[in-house]
Structures are given as C-alpha cells and as structure tokens.
Amino acid sequence: MLFKARSAAVYGIDAHMIDVEVDFAGVLEADKATFSTVGLPDAAVRESRDRVRAAIKNSGFDMPPTRITINLAPADLKKEGSGFDLPIAVGILGAYGALHNKDLTNFLLVGELGLDGSLRSVPGVLPMAVMAREKGIRNVVLPAQNAREAAVVDGVDVYPVRTLREVLDLVNAFAFDGSHAQPLRVKAEEVLNELQHFPFDFKDVRGQHTAKRAMEVAAAGGHNLLMIGPPGSGKTMLAKRLPSILSPLQFQEALETTKIHSVAGVLDPSEGLVAHRPFRAPHHTISDAGLIGGGMVPRPGEVSLAHNGLLFLDELPEFPRNVLEVLRQPLEDGTVTISRAAMSLSFPAQFMLLAAMNPCPCGYFNDKSRDCMCTPPMIQRYVSKVSGPLLDRIDIHIEVPAVQYKELRQGAEGESSARIRERVLAARERQANRFARVGEAAPTTRKHRPVFANAQMTTQQIRVFCELSSDAERLLERAMQQQGLSARAHDRILKVSRTIADLEGAQDIAVKHIAEAIQYRTLDRSYWA
C-alpha cells in the first residue's frame, strides 16, 4: 500500500517541497518488522522511526508488524531535522487505512512528535508557509507554537495542532461536507504596530552631545559607526539606544528578517513576526562561523540575524582578527555566501555595523582625568587588531570621552528618542523620494538590491546626488591630502555629508556639511599618532 504526504525542508532561508512517500508490504512476525528511511536523511530523520512508532501507539492506533519504507523525495537533497515526524506518521496511518481523506496534495504537514503523540515546534515554518503559497498548497498543518509565525503569510490557511490525534481528526474532517477547524488568522500590520516598543531612550543619556549627533546621522543614512573612548564613557549605553531612532520595519523587511530568525530557531513564538529592527551583540569570543554562518547544511550567523538591523561589536579589538576580516564581504555586498562540498547558499546580511573600542589596552589613552599606563608598542599591537580596510568600511568614527560630573548630575533630561526619530524619518523620506527616481537619474548595478539609504549609494549615484561647490571641493581635497584618506573614505565622506544635508532639509551639500563629515573621519590611524 502506498500513501503520499507533503512536507518541506529549508535550505538557506528558502523552503523546498518534500514528498513523503510511505509504502508497507506484508504482515511479518513482530521481531522481523522493519522501518527504513531513504532519500538522504540525517540522523534526526533516521531516528524518527522510534518517535513515530511510539507516538502512533500512544495515540491509540495499532501499527501491525510490516516492512515499512519511507522515501523523502527528491532523493538527491539532504534532509535534516525532526520536522518530518508528522508527515511520516500521517503517511503511515494513511497507508494502514486510518484516514478517510486519501488525497493530501493540498496539505503541508510539519512537526516533531513526542512519544506521547504531542507535537513540538520546529524552526523555519515561515519560509515553509511562503513556499506553500507559491506552490498553491492551501492548508498548512503545524504545531501550535509555530502557528502565529506562519499565519502572517496571506494566501494559506494555517491550522495549529497539539497532538497527532488532532491532526487526523482535522484531515478526516476535510473528507466530509461537515465543518472543520477554523484556520488561525493574523493581521501582520497589526502585529507590527503592537510590537513597536523600545526599552531604552536617549533622554537618559547625560552629555555626549557629539556622540548623539553622530548616531542621529548614522541612523538617518544607514551608516556604519565606530565609537572610541575610555571604559565607562557610555559607549554601550549609547549603542543600546540607537534602535529607538531607526526607521520602522516595513512589512516586506519584517517578513525577510523573520524568515532568517525562523530558520535559525531564535524567533519568539509569542510574537510570530520580527516587528522591530534586530539588535545583535555577539560576544568577542565568537568564531568566524558563528558570525558569518556555517555548518554541514549552512545556517545563518550573526550578520544575517542582524539583517535590516544593527550588529553591535563591543570591545572590537578583542575579536580575533580572522573573525573581523570576514565582515568585509557583507559590509560591501549586503550578502554572505557560504560554500560547502554539497551546496553553496547565500544569506542576506544588509546591516548597520556599530562598534565600540577602547583607545588602548588600559583604556585611558588621551584621557584627561587618568594617566595611560600603556607603552607605544602595546598600543600599536592593540590597535593593529583592527585592520585599515575594515576601518575604511566604517563611515563614522567618533570619540566618546568620559562624562564630567556636572553633566552626570544635571537635572534636565536629554532630548528624547521620539524627537530625534522624527528628524531621522524626515531625512529617510527625502532619501526615499530621491531614490524613487534612481532608474531615470542613475540606474543601480546591484541586482535585487534597491537603494533605500545614502549608505547604500553606488559610485554612479554618488556622482549624481553628491555634487559639490568649488569651496566644498577644495575643503575635501585638502582633507584627503592632509589625512591620507583612501578612495573608499572619500566616497563615505560624500555619503555622510549627503545625509547631514538631508537632516537639515538642504537640497545641496554645503561646506559645513562636508566639514562635519570630515570630522567623523579624524579617528583614523592618525588618532594614535
């Protein structure tokens, strides 16, 4: 007897449909019953036979001793994870005649089974629901813990279930004209609005006006930012508040970000959708695979989990140099490509890099209140852990000095995140209107990567949108020669100056905008000279 069910497997952040074919033949003696799975299953899939047997038995069904063969097609794709438990169990019961509904082509089944027949959550159900919609599969049956996540996809009916018995009752109900369970409905826009909250606010920050201004510029243009200052000056405090002034996620951005978090298994099941820009802050002991992604079947790393959000690297020189160097590709291209012998996968990684570091091992180089105990060779070794090419890819470098006592004790609150965010959103709107005409003015050469912020401008767009007056031209030329800045630094100064002009609502880049942008590059290597 042959019975077919449908499931899905995730590769990268996209799902592929998997046909689960179940065949059994002949009643055997109990000690001769076999259960084999073919189609490149990993250990978790092969072990499903024991979970499935126990779940079927403990759900009140008999499983005669037969020779059972499970085929996961297409057979040339490696299958991993426990999400195939449910379709395998349903296929076995269908082959034994426990289902009235013989055609499950319009059902996508995903879920891990417990020995008692209960269903447990699995990662990656959002891309599976998207794939089901693209393939025209209407009904998606999955564990209740994953239902809210999948229900944000329009065009599919998501049925949350808690036990194997519930699944069978649901599937059998479709075979009759009677009513069946109602699918879960989630309005994605309402979820986005409900979850817009920020635990930190810039009004709590005392002093650091220059740093707050630099963060406003970074948020308005999507620029990478590096903070350099002594311990306790407020670098981490400032970093945690940067998400509160970023532009809100649009639905398509939220959907793409949620897919990555779903595949990685870090999505909060109570929310179902990543509604605010991610803020990822990995420890400096992280490996290059943890930062970029990896594994036999590659999984997204921290740079992909920070997609459409922030990646905060505190104590930047403490990260191994080889780990920092792998950031070059995602900072330039906005994607990460991981190649293995069996496959090559690409993950999106369009993020803002926010980094913080001390100026020396003791942390008090150039500090007016405390003496630095480090020798020049010690400082040079410490600073050299961050390469020049990586620093070049960071648009804004700022010094964050220690806060004075009077500033700490002042009674007045600082400017709130809400007011700063208004200016950021106004600048972003100006950029959106400008780049809406990009096809006519300066076509982009980036495939599938529309430009939304000044930091993403191509060289052609810089020439069009960052024209300078003769005075501004002379100022930039003098800065390039005196500071020995690279061509990449030249482009980043122009991008930052364009953002500063947008914050002021200025049509043209003025000398003062260039001057402020140059100020944000003074913490290059000359800072430690």
Side-chain angles (χ1 to χ4, degrees):
M1 178 68 180
L2 178 65
F3 196 91
K4 294 182 180 181
R6 283 181 165 176
S7 189
V10 176
Y11 301 94
I13 62 169
D14 297 315
H16 297 262
M17 189 170 66
I18 303 297
D19 289 323
V20 180
E21 301 173 337
V22 180
D23 180 73
F24 78 92
V27 177
L28 308 173
E29 297 180 10
D31 60 343
K32 294 182 179 180
T34 61
F35 191 134
S36 61
T37 305
V38 297
L40 287 182
D42 73 343
V45 179
R46 289 193 298 270
E47 290 174 355
S48 66
R49 61 180 181 269
D50 299 315
R51 293 191 297 271
V52 168
R53 281 186 184 276
I56 290 176
K57 179 180 178 181
N58 292 323
S59 296
F61 299 97
D62 291 329
M63 193 168 172
T66 59
R67 181 181 295 107
I68 300 174
T69 303
I70 311 293
N71 180 42
L72 305 177
D76 59 342
L77 289 178
K78 187 174 180 60
K79 322 302 185 304
E80 67 171 11
S82 55
F84 296 105
D85 289 4
L86 180 59
I88 288 175
V90 170
I92 290 173
L93 292 171
Y96 283 143
L99 292 179
H100 300 293
N101 193 343
K102 304 299 183 182
D103 183 10
L104 298 187
T105 56
N106 206 28
F107 287 85
L108 187 76
L109 304 168
V110 182
E112 176 185 337
L113 283 172
L115 299 185
D116 59 352
S118 62
L119 281 168
R120 299 191 177 106
S121 63
V122 294
V125 299
L126 179 61
M128 295 179 188
V130 173
M131 183 275 299
R133 179 183 62 186
E134 294 172 351
K135 296 291 185 180
I137 302 174
R138 183 70 188 181
N139 307 302
V140 179
V141 182
L142 40 75
Q145 301 97 311
N146 295 125
R148 188 173 173 85
E149 172 188 344
V152 300
V153 180
D154 291 330
V156 294
D157 292 335
V158 175
Y159 295 94
V161 288
R162 290 178 171 79
T163 64
L164 178 59
R165 173 67 73 172
E166 283 187 30
V167 177
L168 297 184
D169 293 340
L170 173 67
V171 172
N172 282 331
F174 276 86
F176 303 99
D177 294 331
S179 62
H180 51 77
Q182 293 298 315
L184 178 65
R185 302 294 185 192
V186 173
K187 293 184 178 180
E189 298 298 335
E190 292 182 0
V191 174
L192 283 174
N193 293 331
E194 289 173 4
L195 299 177
Q196 287 294 325
H197 60 276
F198 302 100
F200 305 107
D201 197 294
F202 270 105
K203 68 181 180 181
D204 303 324
V205 180
R206 298 290 188 267
Q208 301 297 9
H209 302 293
T210 301
K212 287 190 284 188
R213 166 64 176 176
M215 287 202 155
E216 180 181 340
V217 174
H223 302 288
N224 302 322
L225 185 147
L226 170 65
M227 297 178 287
I228 303 177
S233 59
K235 300 186 294 295
T236 304
M237 184 181 187
L238 287 163
K240 290 182 177 179
R241 283 155 178 77
L242 184 54
S244 67
I245 63 173
L246 296 177
S247 59
L249 276 176
Q250 301 301 312
F251 176 68
Q252 289 302 321
E253 289 180 309
L255 196 64
E256 187 177 29
T257 306
T258 305
K259 286 172 67 175
I260 300 171
H261 285 236
S262 176
V263 169
V266 298
L267 183 66
D268 187 347
S270 65
E271 296 182 353
L273 189 70
V274 176
H276 48 80
R277 297 193 180 276
F279 180 85
R280 305 293 300 183
H283 193 261
H284 59 75
T285 56
I286 191 172
S287 66
D288 52 357
L291 189 64
I292 294 298
M296 290 294 293
V297 176
R299 296 292 186 183
E302 289 292 333
V303 296
S304 295
L305 292 172
H307 180 60
N308 289 324
L310 286 167
L311 178 67
F312 177 47
L313 302 183
D314 201 3
E315 305 295 343
L316 187 65
E318 300 298 333
F319 285 79
R321 179 154 182 163
N322 67 298
V323 173
L324 293 179
E325 291 307 301
V326 298
L327 286 172
R328 292 191 190 184
Q329 182 200 358
L331 284 175
E332 284 294 320
D333 302 333
T335 59
V336 171
T337 301
I338 303 173
S339 298
R340 295 291 182 266
M343 65 182 65
S344 179
L345 296 176
S346 293
F347 297 100
Q350 183 70 55
F351 59 90
M352 280 178 59
L353 176 63
L354 180 60
M357 62 180 288
N358 296 329
C360 65
C362 77
Y364 297 104
F365 179 75
N366 273 353
D367 187 67
K368 297 179 181 179
S369 61
R370 298 184 63 172
D371 293 331
C372 175
M373 306 303 294
C374 304
T375 63
M378 292 171 61
I379 297 175
Q380 182 60 37
R381 283 195 301 270
Y382 180 77
V383 172
S384 63
K385 294 180 181 179
V386 184
S387 68
L390 180 59
L391 281 176
D392 252 0
R393 287 169 169 82
I394 300 177
D395 305 10
I396 299 175
H397 308 163
I398 57 169
E399 185 177 5
V400 183
V403 182
Q404 300 301 314
Y405 176 80
K406 290 183 179 180
E407 291 179 316
L408 284 174
R409 299 300 299 168
Q410 67 180 2
E413 290 184 340
E415 190 175 23
S416 68
S417 292
R419 293 187 61 183
I420 300 174
R421 196 182 197 195
E422 289 178 3
R423 296 195 295 269
V424 170
L425 293 180
R428 281 294 181 118
E429 185 176 358
R430 294 184 186 98
Q431 295 169 52
N433 294 334
R434 179 186 305 125
F435 295 127
R437 305 186 302 271
V438 72
E440 301 175 4
T444 179
T445 58
R446 300 185 184 189
K447 296 182 179 180
H448 311 298
R449 284 193 58 203
V451 175
F452 297 108
N454 289 331
Q456 302 168 0
M457 284 193 292
T458 63
T459 304
Q460 297 92 329
Q461 292 162 356
I462 292 174
R463 294 195 185 102
V464 173
F465 299 125
C466 298
E467 292 184 352
L468 302 180
S469 64
S470 57
D471 290 340
E473 194 79 53
R474 284 193 294 270
L475 177 61
L476 179 57
E477 181 182 4
R478 187 163 61 250
M480 292 284 295
Q481 293 174 350
Q482 291 178 354
Q483 298 186 25
L485 299 177
S486 67
R488 184 181 287 114
H490 165 272
D491 288 351
R492 295 187 183 277
I493 288 174
L494 290 176
K495 292 178 182 180
V496 172
S497 62
R498 178 68 267 172
T499 300
I500 296 170
D502 289 338
L503 281 169
E504 292 188 2
Q507 183 69 28
D508 300 320
I509 299 175
V511 173
K512 62 179 180 179
H513 303 144
I514 286 288
E516 183 177 351
I518 292 172
Q519 175 189 338
Y520 296 139
R521 300 297 302 188
T522 55
L523 297 182
D524 277 315
R525 292 295 177 182
S526 59
Y527 174 78
W528 289 275

